[in-house]
Amino acid sequence: FMYIYMRKIRADSYGAFLAAVILCLGSVYGGSFINLSTLKSLCFFPLILFVFEKYLESRKHKTKYFIFIGILWGIQLLAGSFQMTFYSIFFCMLYFFYRNVSEKENSFRLIKYMAMAGCIAALISIPQVYSTLEIARHSSRASRTLDFALWNSFSPPALLGTFLPVFGSVFNRTNVIYIGVLNIFFVIVSLYGWRNDKHSKGLLLILAVGLFIAFGKFNPLYAGAIKLSKFYSFRGPAKAIYFVVFALAAMAGKGFTSFFTQAIPADGRKRAFRVFAGVTAGVVLAFGAARLILKYYGTTILSLLKSYTKQYIYGDSF
């Protein structure tokens, strides 16, 4: 599904293949992201985006595309991960609205079609969803709190996992952003001329909103919105890292295509290499500095952290 979506957004066959491999072998699938039911739900995400791109280019019989999207949403709800399906539908709608506006399509018609797709999804899935919610009332989720909703937020230092996954996993055990170091270069290449690329803008939107949610308690705006709405049913905001990795994989595929088809000029490729070299050097220096600090002050730091943990963390819920 990732391959056909990438081909639809103008990656060549090699770039599309690379994006699919990155997604499958990166930190969300190859890295055993959460559990199998989550992956069964999320595997349909690129297919839905592909169907929507087909909808945008079609001039007639547009209804059939959203009938298919409604069926896919229904299958996702049955696949086993209600929270991740909710996230998937949210990110789909975000992408739909942006691409619809960028193509100057009728917004009222899009809302009508999405409502229809939602009804189809509900009809397919409601028996199981109703039973699931009935059981959930007798589980720990019945006594949900703000702490429950913000548990397993993505810690900003875990961004180091983009280059050094083992180091990043120290700060967030289960969710790390990793697509392979060399592929970061192709992501940087894809950013050249992004202002004129509607698909790249859509991917950047998914990336930005994914990080916004994933940071959870480390993002005052997100934590404030959860507290204000009192929606405490979903936990683990770091799960939104899936969509960050998805966007990065797609951008790497597009960057690969741009680089090897020489769609960007030589000075653009050189600039991308300089940025990549600078970022990589910065990460290596930060890692080296951390190793030196721990070598000489590790015992003192550990002692301070133990005291802090005893006083402020140990014994609290989640």
Side-chain angles (χ1 to χ4, degrees):
F1 297 152
M2 185 64 167
Y3 180 86
I4 61 172
Y5 168 68
M6 290 303 300
R7 294 291 283 151
K8 181 53 66 180
I9 63 169
R10 298 175 192 160
D12 67 4
S13 56
Y14 297 104
F17 177 73
L18 177 67
V21 168
I22 292 170
L23 187 65
C24 291
L25 301 181
S27 58
V28 290
Y29 283 90
S32 302
F33 176 87
I34 308 298
N35 53 45
L36 191 60
S37 62
T38 295
L39 301 181
K40 283 180 177 179
S41 297
L42 291 172
C43 69
F44 294 100
F45 181 67
L47 177 61
I48 294 166
L49 300 189
F50 167 79
V51 174
F52 184 72
E53 291 293 337
K54 292 284 286 182
Y55 159 85
L56 287 176
E57 71 177 21
S58 174
R59 291 293 142 215
K60 54 183 180 179
H61 306 305
K62 283 179 172 282
T63 309
K64 66 182 179 183
Y65 295 105
F66 269 90
I67 291 173
F68 190 33
I69 287 171
I71 292 168
L72 290 173
W73 281 348
I75 291 170
Q76 282 187 299
L77 285 165
L78 294 173
S81 179
F82 186 77
Q83 178 175 342
M84 293 310 291
T85 296
F86 180 88
Y87 281 163
S88 176
I89 292 171
F90 168 75
F91 277 96
C92 283
M93 289 181 171
L94 196 69
Y95 185 88
F96 293 173
F97 275 116
Y98 170 73
R99 289 286 294 120
N100 198 70
V101 170
S102 69
E103 296 294 336
K104 297 180 173 59
E105 289 280 334
N106 187 311
S107 295
F108 177 75
R109 181 171 60 189
L110 175 65
I111 293 168
K112 181 182 71 175
Y113 281 148
M114 286 197 302
M116 179 190 71
C119 289
I120 293 169
L123 285 170
I124 290 170
S125 63
I126 204 164
Q128 180 168 300
V129 170
Y130 178 80
S131 300
T132 301
L133 294 174
E134 191 176 27
I135 293 168
R137 284 198 289 270
H138 302 283
S139 73
S140 61
R141 302 211 174 204
S143 56
R144 53 196 180 272
T145 62
L146 181 63
D147 287 334
F148 178 90
L150 297 178
W151 172 81
N152 193 26
S153 296
F154 187 79
S155 176
L159 287 169
L160 287 168
T162 310
F163 282 83
L164 301 160
V166 173
F167 196 63
S169 66
V170 170
F171 299 97
N172 195 283
R173 184 174 57 85
T174 53
N175 308 107
V176 179
I177 300 170
Y178 189 67
I179 62 168
V181 174
L182 182 59
N183 294 314
I184 296 168
F185 170 69
F186 294 120
V187 171
I188 295 168
V189 170
S190 76
L191 293 173
Y192 188 91
W194 65 272
R195 287 184 180 85
N196 301 318
D197 188 337
K198 296 169 184 176
H199 298 116
S200 289
K201 286 182 179 178
L203 293 170
L204 281 169
L205 181 63
I206 291 173
L207 174 68
V209 176
L211 280 174
F212 180 87
I213 294 171
F215 284 137
K217 67 182 179 183
F218 301 105
N219 177 358
L221 289 175
Y222 178 81
I226 294 296
K227 194 172 183 179
L228 194 66
S229 66
K230 297 191 183 301
F231 183 74
Y232 303 148
S233 298
F234 291 164
R235 65 174 180 172
K239 293 176 182 180
I241 288 300
Y242 170 87
F243 300 96
V244 176
V245 173
F246 171 87
L248 288 172
M251 290 166 69
K254 283 181 71 65
F256 185 92
T257 297
S258 299
F259 186 82
F260 286 104
T261 58
Q262 298 185 342
I264 60 172
D267 66 319
R269 295 199 294 275
K270 286 177 183 175
R271 197 178 302 129
F273 180 76
R274 284 196 294 269
V275 172
F276 174 69
V279 171
T280 305
V283 170
V284 170
L285 286 171
F287 184 70
R291 290 297 296 266
L292 283 172
I293 290 167
L294 290 174
K295 182 178 179 180
Y296 293 106
Y297 301 102
T299 307
T300 306
I301 292 169
L302 185 61
S303 178
L304 288 169
L305 290 174
K306 280 182 176 179
S307 300
Y308 179 86
T309 303
K310 250 183 213 179
Q311 193 170 352
Y312 298 107
I313 297 173
Y314 179 72
D316 283 357
S317 62
F318 300 100

